[in-house]
Amino acid sequence: MIEIVICLLVGYCFGCISSGYFVGKFYHKDIRTLGSGNAGTTNVLRNFGIIPAIITFLGDVLKAIVPLMLIRFCFDTQTDWYLLCLYCGLGVVLGHNYPFYLGFKGGKGIAVTAAIVMACANPIMIPIGLAIFVAAVALTRYVSVGSLFVA
């Protein structure tokens, strides 16, 4: 039980690192007051361009993968790593979507969820999911539609 709480807390703490918010602050703006109002990669792309969006995306991916690696490293082989990683991933998504220091207003959790799924999934599923996402976004021009298709 204590392992689950630790995983959720570690995940939440990493998830609270809001890449989009910090990229916006680099441009002296609060990304949450622009566009769709969330601190995610898509809103950064629409308001600041491709390079800041890539930085935001990579920050979101790293903040999801690093705590998962920590959990795998810190708990012994007797523990169910997969389940603990999913709890940690839940914490990351909650921290990303509801960071306490930003008034519980963050991103939508698409990039961090994708990173968690990629880190936990069977490797054969990663290119399949990526192909579905890219095709859906290319056809509809909506990231949210691509995310729904992959889910």
Side-chain angles (χ1 to χ4, degrees), residues 67-89:
L68 293 179
M69 296 302 114
L70 282 173
I71 294 302
R72 287 185 180 193
F73 178 75
C74 291
F75 290 104
D76 63 11
T77 56
Q78 301 298 324
T79 315
D80 189 359
W81 287 343
Y82 183 74
L83 185 59
L84 292 180
C85 285
L86 291 178
Y87 280 117
C88 183

Side-chain angles (χ1 to χ4, degrees), residues 21-127:
Y21 177 76
F22 293 119
V23 166
K25 284 300 177 186
F26 178 79
Y27 289 97
H28 306 290
K29 297 189 188 241
D30 185 351
I31 189 65
R32 299 169 305 146
T33 63
L34 304 172
S36 66
N38 72 61
T41 302
T42 304
N43 200 29
V44 170
L45 174 65
R46 290 180 183 143
N47 288 287
F48 299 126
I50 188 76
I51 300 298
I54 290 171
I55 292 168
T56 301
F57 179 76
L58 291 175
D60 287 349
V61 168
L62 283 175
K63 77 178 177 184
I65 291 175
V66 169
L68 293 179
M69 296 302 114
L70 282 173
I71 294 302
R72 287 185 180 193
F73 178 75
C74 291
F75 290 104
D76 63 11
T77 56
Q78 301 298 324
T79 315
D80 189 359
W81 287 343
Y82 183 74
L83 185 59
L84 292 180
C85 285
L86 291 178
Y87 280 117
C88 183
L90 174 62
V92 172
V93 173
L94 290 173
H96 178 82
N97 291 353
Y98 308 106
F100 68 92
Y101 68 96
L102 295 177
F104 299 98
K105 186 177 180 192
K108 292 180 183 170
I110 304 295
V112 294
T113 301
I116 291 161
V117 169
M118 285 191 304
C120 295
N122 184 333
I124 193 76
M125 297 306 292
I126 296 170

